[in-house]
Amino acid sequence: MIRYLNLPKIPVEILDSLNYNFDQYSFKATYLNGAYKWSDDFSQQVDTWCKQNICDTMHWGFQFMNNDIIAHKDVGTEVKLTYLIDTGGSNVRTNFFEDDKTTITHSFVIPTHQWHILYASRYHSVEGIESGHTRFSLTGRVFPLPIE
């Protein structure tokens, strides 16, 4: 599930300085047939700010979703802290499921520029990403899990 947090917003000048040309990133992780990608390229300024203002022991990087994401559990992460920069569409929903991956227990339309904790080790999906759009967010793992 998701819990919204009242943490300081990332300054506009840092958000404006981010690289929004996603073709220039090298992706360190790619899942779900390329619909989800992760990179820490071009993150030095925002990583420094987050370490000073949010949590100094977390490594910060970017998530990119260019298509809907089926029900899944994140690899190697129990809980992640996320700051949504671009929703990827006008009505993108993050859904949480029972273990059957079909019964929705909670559904959220997460606003931009809102810190939230996401329970990533529960089945969840992202639906409604519009064609030609990218859901772009900053994220850090709060509680990493060992990769089996």
Side-chain angles (χ1 to χ4, degrees), residues 7-11 14 45-56 60 115:
L7 297 173
K9 294 191 182 309
I10 298 173
I14 292 176
Q45 186 179 17
V46 73
D47 181 70
T48 299
W49 184 89
C50 285
K51 285 181 174 165
Q52 291 171 349
N53 295 281
I54 306 299
C55 180
D56 64 352
W60 299 91
W115 285 104

Side-chain angles (χ1 to χ4, degrees), residues 97-110:
F97 297 86
E98 295 286 347
D99 285 340
D100 65 7
K101 296 191 264 185
T102 56
T103 305
I104 296 175
T105 60
H106 298 85
S107 188
F108 302 86
V109 175
I110 303 167

Side-chain angles (χ1 to χ4, degrees), residues 22-39:
F22 304 137
D23 293 334
Q24 293 181 353
Y25 286 79
S26 61
F27 298 108
K28 313 297 191 288
T30 302
Y31 297 104
L32 304 167
N33 296 321
Y36 173 93
K37 297 174 184 170
W38 185 90
S39 179

Side-chain angles (χ1 to χ4, degrees), residues 7-110:
L7 297 173
K9 294 191 182 309
I10 298 173
V12 172
E13 56 271 10
I14 292 176
L15 293 175
D16 287 348
S17 73
L18 295 177
N19 185 352
Y20 291 89
N21 183 347
F22 304 137
D23 293 334
Q24 293 181 353
Y25 286 79
S26 61
F27 298 108
K28 313 297 191 288
T30 302
Y31 297 104
L32 304 167
N33 296 321
Y36 173 93
K37 297 174 184 170
W38 185 90
S39 179
D40 59 2
D41 290 355
F42 311 108
S43 68
Q44 184 176 13
Q45 186 179 17
V46 73
D47 181 70
T48 299
W49 184 89
C50 285
K51 285 181 174 165
Q52 291 171 349
N53 295 281
I54 306 299
C55 180
D56 64 352
T57 57
M58 291 173 63
H59 181 70
W60 299 91
F62 299 109
Q63 295 182 122
F64 308 83
M65 297 177 202
N66 59 10
N67 216 333
D68 287 357
I69 306 293
I70 62 170
H72 69 285
K73 294 180 180 181
D74 285 19
V75 175
T77 304
E78 184 171 356
V79 176
K80 66 173 50 163
L81 184 57
T82 304
Y83 189 88
L84 191 57
I85 299 166
D86 189 316
T87 62
S90 60
N91 190 32
V92 179
R93 302 192 75 75
T94 301
N95 299 314
F96 287 83
F97 297 86
E98 295 286 347
D99 285 340
D100 65 7
K101 296 191 264 185
T102 56
T103 305
I104 296 175
T105 60
H106 298 85
S107 188
F108 302 86
V109 175
I110 303 167

